[in-house]
Amino acid sequence: MARARLSRTPRDDPPAAGPGATEVDWDGLRARMRGPLLRPGDPAFDDARKLFNPLNDDHVPAAVAQCASVEDVREGVLAAANRVPLAARSGGHSYVGYSAPDGGLVLDLRRLSAVTVPSDGTATVGAGATLRDVYTGLSQAGRALPGGSCFTVGIAGVTLGGGIGVLQRKFGLTCDHLVSADVVTADGRTLTATASATPDLFWALRGGGGGNFAVVTRFTFATAPAPALTIFSLAFPAGKVTKVLTAWQPWITAAPRELWANLNISSGSTPGCRVSGCFVGPSGACNPLLNDLVARCGVSPTTRKVEDRSYFDAMRFFSGTPGRQAFVASSRVLSAPATNPGRVVDLLTGSTGVSLILDALGGAVADVGVQQTAFPHRTAFATAQIYAGATTASEAEVTRRVGKVVTGLADLGIGGGYVNYIDPALPDWAACYYGPNLARLRCVAHDYDPDRVFDFAQSLWRA
């Protein structure tokens, strides 16, 4: 399994520029923009072009447009369309660097990051906002939105891919709370996508993946009152993973939707694991549920952390280590609990540095129909992220280890994939990401971008 270093095939190549196409007028674009346009050689360019994952530092765009307005986005789209590759960037967490196209134009949206919460409880969020921005703004207004965990991830990528997170069993996915999205289309139009005005586009923006249809510049979300939360983490001794996984699966299935938990299995000669999660309510109501898990396992945790937290402090608990991180990752989706937990654990045995993270679905996620939004995994049991830290020197070997687990899960009948854990080497990736929604998504992409302006290696044009 390879990451993004695959040899290009003729089908991978973007369409040739049409008759009369010209080179990008970079000087003209710079003059028309309110924000800076950075080019190679400019002092700030090297920092501006880099994404979250240092393994993608070899991606060198022709320019980075630090958009300060919707009009800047529009000017960038029109200037680059069918001349050079074009991609929008918010948090810059694209696993394989699709938001920094080689030789192309990056529309850096991070200056469009305002979060406002009027008295009606809706939230208007600039597409360049990170989850830290969103959670900070919402918590100050006493509101909450289900979303991802890492604070530096952009709200745009989270929402457009569906938006799994620690509150999903109670409140659903991020995309389930989307009311409208302001976008710039491939032909430079600005419009507001809603369920009534543009039903196909609005449907596609809720789980159809970023970069396929238009550049979103602003989201409007319905929010909920910020609840009091309990966070927890239970580490179990090495060698007991099969027992824990066997118990965790029916436990989380039967749990009230206020409870969300994941199971993180760490590879090794004797794999270990921990169960972490979030409960909507006080620790006094959460602890009996955790006691039930321990009883089902028949294994006492080596450490147990259970704390009452505010909404923001709970989100911060799950935010991870700050700073850029080099890694290789992929995904699968468990349509149902694994029938042979021991064989899943065997995939991590003897390897090093690889984590298999199972994030429980269910609850409010399944309240929405499979084809009601573009996110297709509504009835699944859990998503699986296969993740490993890496360096430039170790990338090939780490990629092999990750690929071995991905293939092993497929051999166990565990297919599918989450588009926000995008992986160019995932076999039959389009069907994995989109399932029964693929055909309709292709049609929407063709309707809103008939000239393949937003084409990239795993765009719907190549599905």
Side-chain angles (χ1 to χ4, degrees):
M1 173 169 287
R3 279 176 16 89
R5 315 292 194 256
L6 303 179
S7 297
R8 295 172 67 91
T9 66
R11 187 169 181 264
D12 290 329
D13 289 323
T22 58
E23 296 297 322
V24 177
D25 177 7
W26 298 117
D27 291 336
L29 177 59
R30 179 182 280 115
R32 294 190 299 273
M33 286 185 57
R34 282 177 50 195
L37 180 73
L38 303 176
R39 298 269 283 141
D42 291 342
F45 174 79
D46 202 48
D47 284 339
R49 72 174 179 84
K50 290 179 180 176
L51 304 178
F52 177 75
N53 189 342
L55 296 184
N56 296 318
D57 282 355
D58 58 347
H59 292 218
V60 183
V64 176
Q66 295 182 320
C67 301
S69 66
V70 173
E71 186 60 24
D72 281 358
V73 176
R74 180 178 179 275
E75 290 288 354
V77 169
L78 292 175
N82 296 122
R83 296 180 178 89
V84 294
L86 177 67
R89 170 188 175 169
S90 294
H93 278 250
S94 172
Y95 274 18
V96 290
Y98 289 151
S99 51
D102 278 317
L105 174 62
V106 176
L107 299 174
D108 188 336
L109 306 179
R110 288 176 293 178
R111 296 185 177 209
L112 306 178
S113 60
V115 178
T116 59
V117 187
S119 58
D120 66 359
T122 59
T124 301
V125 180
T130 64
L131 291 182
R132 177 185 286 276
D133 298 328
V134 174
Y135 295 150
T136 298
L138 289 176
S139 63
Q140 290 172 349
R143 307 298 294 183
L145 178 73
S149 52
C150 180
F151 266 16
T152 57
V153 165
I155 187 63
V158 170
T159 305
L160 297 174
I164 65 174
V166 303
L167 296 177
Q168 63 190 16
R169 284 172 51 84
K170 175 63 176 178
F171 295 107
L173 305 176
T174 310
C175 72
D176 297 337
H177 293 256
L178 187 64
V179 175
S180 66
D182 295 345
V183 307
V184 176
T185 61
D187 57 0
R189 290 178 295 142
T190 57
L191 58 85
T192 299
T194 66
S196 58
T198 56
D200 282 344
L201 178 59
F202 184 69
W203 172 86
L205 293 176
R206 292 175 294 159
N212 278 311
F213 312 103
V215 179
V216 179
T217 57
R218 186 172 65 176
F219 298 92
T220 300
F221 296 103
T223 67
L229 300 170
T230 301
I231 59 91
F232 58 87
S233 180
L234 287 71
F236 291 89
K240 304 298 182 182
V241 180
T242 298
K243 283 189 174 183
V244 177
L245 177 54
T246 299
W248 178 80
Q249 292 187 131
W251 173 75
I252 194 62
T253 300
R257 60 178 56 197
E258 286 76 16
L259 180 74
W260 173 88
N262 70 7
L263 176 62
N264 187 329
I265 305 172
S266 300
S267 67
S269 56
T270 306
C273 69
R274 69 177 183 271
V275 174
S276 301
C278 186
F279 178 74
V280 182
S283 58
C286 179
N287 270 311
L289 297 169
L290 301 180
N291 293 341
D292 179 43
L293 172 63
V294 172
R296 289 171 183 250
C297 292
V299 178
S300 296
T302 55
T303 62
R304 175 169 172 158
K305 178 188 182 83
V306 184
E307 293 182 0
D308 293 285
R309 296 274 185 111
S310 68
Y311 167 68
F312 182 81
D313 284 343
M315 297 304 102
R316 182 163 54 189
F317 172 77
F318 294 104
S319 64
T321 305
R324 301 174 76 210
Q325 296 174 29
F327 65 90
V328 175
S330 187
S331 68
R332 287 290 180 181
V333 177
L334 284 73
S335 58
T339 57
N340 193 328
R343 291 184 63 190
V344 173
V345 178
D346 287 344
L347 298 175
L348 282 297
T349 303
S351 185
T352 56
V354 180
S355 294
L356 173 62
I357 306 166
L358 304 180
D359 292 319
L361 295 170
V365 177
D367 290 344
V368 179
V370 169
Q371 295 184 289
Q372 193 171 338
T373 68
F375 181 84
H377 309 300
R378 295 288 181 174
T379 62
F381 166 65
T383 57
Q385 182 178 189
I386 305 91
Y387 182 99
T391 64
T392 302
S394 69
E395 181 182 2
E397 172 57 23
V398 172
T399 297
R400 185 193 66 78
R401 295 176 198 161
V402 169
K404 184 176 179 181
V405 177
V406 173
T407 301
L409 291 172
D411 291 342
L412 295 177
I414 299 172
Y418 180 37
V419 69
N420 278 351
Y421 301 152
I422 203 159
D423 177 1
L426 188 67
D428 201 14
W429 53 265
C432 286
Y433 298 150
Y434 305 121
N437 295 328
L438 177 58
R440 184 179 176 187
L441 284 167
R442 283 196 190 109
C443 290
V444 178
H446 289 209
D447 287 345
Y448 280 88
D449 183 18
D451 297 322
R452 297 180 67 169
V453 170
F454 299 124
D455 189 29
F456 62 98
Q458 282 185 288
S459 74
L460 284 162
W461 273 102
R462 309 191 190 200

